[in-house]
Amino acid sequence: MSAREDEDYGSWAGAYALDALTPDERNRYEQYLSRSEDARAEAAEFGDTAALLGSATEPVAPSPELRANLLAAIASTPQLPAEDPAPSDETAQRAREDVLAGASTLGGNVIQPAAGSKAARRWSRPVAMLAAAAAVVVLGVGVAGGTGLLNPQSEQQQAISALEDADDLQRVEATATDGTPVSVLWSEELASAAITSDDMPELADDLVYQLWMIRDGETIPAGLMEDGETSAVMDGELHQGDVIGITVEPAGGSEAPTTAPILLQAT
Amino acid sequence: MLVTMTREPERVEQAPASLEDLLTAVASGDRAAFAELYDRTAPRVLGLIKRLLIDHSQSEEVAQEVFLEIWQTATRYQPTKGAAVTWMLTMAHRRAVDRVRASQSSRDRDVRIGIRDYEPGFDQVSEAVEVSVEHQRVAKALARLTELQRQAVQLAYYGGLSHSEIAARLSIPIGTVKTRLRDGMIRLRDELGVVP
């Protein structure tokens, strides 16, 4: 990252605090924050300032149902573990926290499996376990190289067709953090998984979508989804209970996630 | 849309627990603390969300997500890093913005924002109801911005517009929007006396 680009990022501070950046820009700005102490200080001040704008809106009385629903929901909703190993840098910490927060939404209503699916039956698995599994950002077991990631479309299509034909196909219509609909398909019989989406937002040239399998506390690189592609078959074998994740990474991919996931899906 | 309600109750006999204390208690699984935290902050959280989403039932949905997230992630809140209400409102704003961008077609949003433009301004609204201290402070600080800065900050924060949407709407370059937002935030920070 050049000093010139960092200089440009300096002007993003207001937009960042006001949530006026796109999710991709937000991630890039947070990477910049990890490199600049001054920028972090400014972000903290602007964050406090933005919250004051928030506290100045007219209060609105919630319905009694909202309170009742919430109190009922928390009675059966596990909390995230408090453990917090020393981060190597702020970005990594943020990424991990966001992974945790993201994994926690698996217990909420944000990413819902189709009713009656096997995934739905597994829903009862404690969120804390998922969170713990997703929490530990371990250096990758083997780097997902360029080969196999740029499968010709036909191979991708064949693999997806095979998945779609699988007797035990699971298909979940999930939503990425920016609202983009993403289908997650997997089959335990084939030990294979794929994602498809017609609407993935276009990324800057130096960025790429990267897929992950999160298993036993490890984040395993599972291939890239280049700009313009509408589907990606995950590299490697899917194991029972894996969590599938997508992050935005520098071109070529990373050994471990460096940004918050835009999607997490339990299988 | 404005509702008379009890804000944080003033207790004379006994100092109420701070929101930070409540959040810390919530982190240890204290459901009564969560209920109190909810009672004391829900109108503010919902007020912020509804300012962006307008629709009441959608706003309640997002508020429910926010409070569930607060319950789940209270273990991650660090009192040394900032006030509880800041932590909660930051989460609420982020989620409200995500919902605005996910659920509205651009046409719907233009209509919605168009309607908002005809609502009375910040100052007029505030006179109609019991005005909070924060509200007065913020209204005063906003009044110290240039018209162009205030417009950009309000479109971003209360309208949920991205900087490119603001640029398109005002027919100005994105770079100009970023500069206005940053300059506006610098002045607001100074006017509001936010210190690191």
Side-chain angles (χ1 to χ4, degrees):
Chain A
M1 197 61 66
S2 73
R4 174 63 215 281
E5 279 170 314
D6 273 3
E7 205 172 299
D8 288 342
Y9 281 130
S11 69
W12 290 26
Y16 175 71
L18 295 162
D19 288 330
L21 299 178
T22 64
D24 164 43
E25 291 166 336
R26 194 188 281 166
N27 283 333
R28 279 193 280 153
Y29 187 76
E30 287 176 353
Q31 286 177 21
Y32 163 67
L33 285 182
S34 73
R35 298 193 295 273
S36 168
E37 200 180 329
D38 287 350
R40 281 201 297 278
E42 188 173 55
E45 291 166 16
F46 282 8
D48 288 350
T49 305
L52 282 170
L53 291 177
S55 63
T57 55
E58 296 300 336
V60 173
S63 68
E65 291 77 25
L66 179 55
R67 189 180 197 276
N69 288 346
L70 272 167
L71 294 184
I74 64 164
S76 60
T77 304
Q79 294 177 294
L80 297 188
E83 52 81 32
D84 195 4
S88 55
D89 62 52
E90 188 155 318
T91 302
Q93 181 174 12
R94 260 177 200 276
R96 192 175 55 246
E97 283 173 358
D98 285 354
V99 168
L100 282 165
S104 77
T105 63
L106 293 171
N109 296 317
V110 178
I111 304 172
Q112 285 282 19
S117 72
K118 202 183 282 183
R121 291 202 300 278
R122 292 209 196 101
W123 209 239
S124 55
R125 183 180 9 212
V127 170
M129 278 178 58
L130 286 173
V136 189
V137 178
V138 177
L139 284 180
V141 179
V143 183
T147 56
L149 306 175
L150 302 170
N151 291 332
Q153 194 68 13
S154 59
E155 259 180 59
Q156 291 263 353
Q157 283 309 329
Q158 280 173 16
I160 288 174
S161 299
L163 258 179
E164 283 173 338
D165 291 343
D167 291 336
D168 67 336
L169 168 71
Q170 300 289 323
R171 186 188 188 103
V172 172
E173 305 304 333
T175 307
T177 49
D178 68 344
T180 306
V182 178
S183 302
V184 183
L185 293 73
W186 70 93
S187 154
E188 282 178 10
E189 216 171 274
L190 301 179
S192 172
I195 62 158
T196 67
S197 174
D198 292 334
D199 303 306
M200 294 300 271
E202 200 177 312
L203 296 176
D205 288 346
D206 55 348
L207 295 172
V208 67
Y209 292 107
Q210 185 163 5
L211 314 178
W212 306 90
M213 292 180 186
I214 301 160
R215 177 187 312 152
D216 301 331
E218 293 187 5
T219 50
I220 303 162
L224 307 180
M225 182 168 172
E226 302 286 348
D227 250 358
E229 291 187 322
T230 56
S231 64
V233 178
M234 300 188 70
D235 290 347
E237 287 197 358
L238 183 77
H239 291 206
Q240 192 171 6
D242 282 359
V243 174
I244 291 170
I246 307 176
T247 62
V248 176
E249 300 293 334
S254 304
E255 294 186 7
T258 62
T259 65
I262 60 165
L263 182 133
L264 289 172
Q265 175 61 52
T267 67
Chain B
M1 111 177 216
L2 301 174
V3 181
T4 309
M5 63 183 46
T6 315
R7 291 177 57 78
E8 292 181 32
E10 306 287 342
R11 296 184 205 167
V12 183
E13 309 86 8
Q14 156 198 355
S18 71
L19 296 180
E20 288 72 24
D21 292 342
L22 286 173
L23 199 47
T24 305
V26 168
S28 65
D30 185 337
R31 283 187 243 157
F34 180 85
E36 187 177 347
L37 183 71
Y38 173 86
D39 289 339
R40 284 170 55 179
T41 59
R44 261 190 282 181
V45 168
L46 183 60
L48 172 57
I49 294 167
K50 195 171 173 188
R51 173 85 190 207
L52 278 96
L53 294 181
I54 311 298
D55 180 76
H56 187 85
S57 64
Q58 269 206 57
S59 301
E60 289 219 346
E61 279 172 33
V62 173
Q64 181 163 340
E65 289 171 15
V66 168
F67 275 99
L68 211 50
E69 188 176 352
I70 288 167
W71 167 256
Q72 291 176 305
T73 60
T75 48
R76 304 278 145 167
Y77 168 68
Q78 296 175 283
T80 52
K81 288 241 175 118
V85 73
T86 300
W87 189 75
M88 296 168 71
L89 289 176
T90 301
M91 203 182 285
H93 190 263
R94 177 76 60 91
R95 281 211 181 236
V97 165
D98 287 346
R99 176 66 75 102
V100 160
R101 296 194 189 149
S103 63
Q104 306 274 352
S105 76
S106 52
R107 193 181 141 275
D108 286 348
R109 296 192 57 197
D110 284 348
V111 170
R112 189 172 55 88
I113 291 159
I115 290 167
R116 197 202 332 269
D117 284 346
Y118 291 102
E119 288 180 352
F122 212 78
D123 295 323
Q124 289 89 339
V125 168
S126 67
E127 286 166 12
V129 293
E130 185 193 340
V131 182
S132 72
V133 176
E134 294 98 326
H135 192 139
Q136 278 181 329
R137 275 180 71 207
V138 170
K140 219 176 197 173
L142 276 170
R144 301 295 296 259
L145 303 189
T146 68
E147 178 58 36
L148 294 174
Q149 289 170 350
R150 183 166 51 247
Q151 183 184 37
V153 166
Q154 289 185 327
L155 283 172
Y157 193 79
Y158 296 123
L161 268 65
S162 70
H163 54 164
S164 54
E165 288 172 321
I166 296 170
R169 191 174 152 79
L170 301 180
S171 305
I172 54 175
I174 285 188
T176 307
V177 174
K178 285 177 183 159
T179 309
R180 277 184 200 169
L181 292 178
R182 179 153 184 261
D183 291 349
M185 288 301 280
I186 288 172
R187 193 175 285 194
L188 272 180
R189 175 195 66 193
D190 294 346
E191 290 292 334
L192 290 167
V194 173
V195 285

